[in-house]
C-alpha cells in the first residue's frame, strides 16, 4: 500500500506543479484553490508512504514522478522544448526512479 500512496503522491505533485502555472502568481482564485488542495493530498500521501518506505527512496521517487510528469505536461500543454538532450535527461530521471524501486 505504501507504494500506491507514493504513486498517488507523485501524481498529485504533477497536478500542483502544473497548477502553479495556472494560478498566475496566486492571483486566480479557483486555480489557486485547486493547486493548494493538490498540494495537501500530495504531501499527505507522501507522509503515509514514508511510514514504511525509506525517506531517501520515497522522496527521490516522489520528486522524480513530479519532475518527469511536469516536464512531459510542459511539453504538451505549454510548448516547452522537446529537444533530444532534454528528453535524454528526463529519461535518466525515469531510469533513476526505476532503479530506486528495484533496489528498495
Amino acid at each position: 500500500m505504501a507504494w500506491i500512496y507514493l504513486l498517488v503522491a507523485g501524481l498529485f505533485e504533477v497536478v500542483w506543479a502544473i497548477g502553479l502555472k495556472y494560478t498566475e502568481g496566486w492571483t486566480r482564485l479557483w486555480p489557486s484553490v485547486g493547486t493548494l488542495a493538490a498540494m495537501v493530498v500530495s504531501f499527505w500521501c507522501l507522509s503515509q508512504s514514508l511510514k514504511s518506505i525509506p525517506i531517501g527512496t520515497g522522496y527521490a521517487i516522489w520528486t522524480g514522478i513530479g519532475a518527469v510528469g511536469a516536464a512531459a505536461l510542459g511539453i504538451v500543454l505549454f510548448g516547452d522544448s522537446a529537444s533530444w538532450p532534454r528528453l535524454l535527461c528526463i529519461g535518466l530521471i525515469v531510469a533513476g526512479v526505476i532503479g530506486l524501486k528495484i533496489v528498495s
Side-chain angles (χ1 to χ4, degrees):
M1 190 67 182
W3 289 101
I4 293 171
Y5 274 126
L6 186 57
L7 175 63
V8 171
L11 293 174
F12 272 91
E13 184 187 5
V14 174
V15 171
W16 70 256
I18 296 300
L20 285 173
K21 180 82 168 172
Y22 290 104
T23 69
E24 295 180 11
W26 301 101
T27 60
R28 297 181 61 212
L29 177 62
W30 294 114
S32 297
V33 169
T35 298
L36 286 171
M39 287 176 170
V40 169
V41 172
S42 179
F43 284 116
W44 185 83
C45 288
L46 176 63
S47 72
Q48 297 307 301
S49 73
L50 295 178
K51 289 179 179 179
S52 54
I53 296 172
I55 182 71
T57 300
Y59 186 74
I61 290 175
W62 178 68
T63 57
I65 293 169
V68 170
L73 285 177
I75 291 167
V76 171
L77 297 175
F78 307 118
D80 292 352
S81 170
S83 65
W84 73 264
R86 190 163 190 259
L87 294 176
L88 175 65
C89 291
I90 292 169
L92 291 171
I93 295 170
V94 171
V97 167
I98 291 168
L100 284 170
K101 173 63 175 125
I102 290 170
V103 300
S104 294

